[in-house]
Amino acid sequence: MSDEIDDRLSRRFDDDQDDEDETPSEESQNDITSVQSENERKTQASQKAQNIKKEWNVRSFYLDDGLDSDLTTAFKRLDLSLSEADAEVNLKKTRHFYPLIVELGLERLEEMEVTEVTERLEGEDSV
């Protein structure tokens, strides 16, 4: 039992390496395209998961009240828009919405300059 708990804790906290500075090397446009293609393949494979609670990784994070409210509102708006557009997607928070938000956020983060990130983080800290 203790080994199982140790393994779970190890998996949970191994990825949280906020203190390590990783300086990415410059990538060519082809490398970026191949990474994006790989991400698309992973996203498609993830959408086919039968039981996401068993097959996907878990991430927990905390949001302040304002951001949590914005996230809930965004989900409701998207769900309503999809139903009005007769889209074939039955939007689910865990399977569709949260991964979409993270994926779009990562794409936006890749486009940002360090100064933009710094300004954004400093603005968040002052709130």
Side-chain angles (χ1 to χ4, degrees):
M1 181 73 167
S2 178
D3 290 337
E4 181 182 333
I5 293 171
D6 289 343
D7 289 342
R8 288 175 57 198
L9 288 172
S10 154
R11 284 193 308 260
R12 175 178 273 177
F13 294 109
D14 281 347
D15 292 333
D16 297 338
Q17 306 269 335
D18 291 340
D19 296 332
E20 290 184 19
D21 292 331
E22 294 183 15
T23 307
S25 61
E26 290 189 16
E27 296 177 299
S28 68
Q29 188 62 32
N30 291 338
D31 290 340
I32 292 171
T33 303
S34 67
V35 168
Q36 289 172 342
S37 297
E38 179 65 22
N39 287 341
E40 289 173 11
R41 283 192 295 274
K42 287 179 183 176
T43 300
Q44 290 172 352
S46 293
Q47 295 299 330
K48 295 177 185 177
Q50 296 298 312
N51 185 338
I52 59 174
K53 289 183 178 181
K54 289 183 179 178
E55 296 178 42
W56 290 7
N57 295 313
V58 175
R59 290 281 174 187
S60 295
F61 51 91
Y62 301 94
L63 302 173
D64 66 28
D65 291 340
L67 193 53
D68 184 56
S69 176
D70 291 347
L71 189 64
T72 300
T73 301
F75 173 77
K76 289 178 180 178
R77 283 185 181 155
L78 180 59
D79 191 32
L80 180 62
S81 296
L82 289 172
S83 64
E84 288 176 350
D86 293 326
E88 294 181 19
V89 175
N90 181 14
L91 187 66
K92 298 189 184 313
K93 272 187 184 178
T94 306
R95 179 177 289 275
H96 302 116
F97 184 69
Y98 292 150
L100 177 65
I101 293 294
V102 171
E103 186 176 351
L104 293 172
L106 289 172
E107 287 174 7
R108 173 67 177 109
L109 187 61
E110 287 177 7
E111 297 170 358
M112 294 175 75
E113 298 292 327
V114 174
T115 55
E116 290 178 275
V117 173
T118 303
E119 289 171 3
R120 190 69 176 246
L121 292 174
E122 288 172 352
E124 294 289 321
D125 288 340
S126 65
V127 172

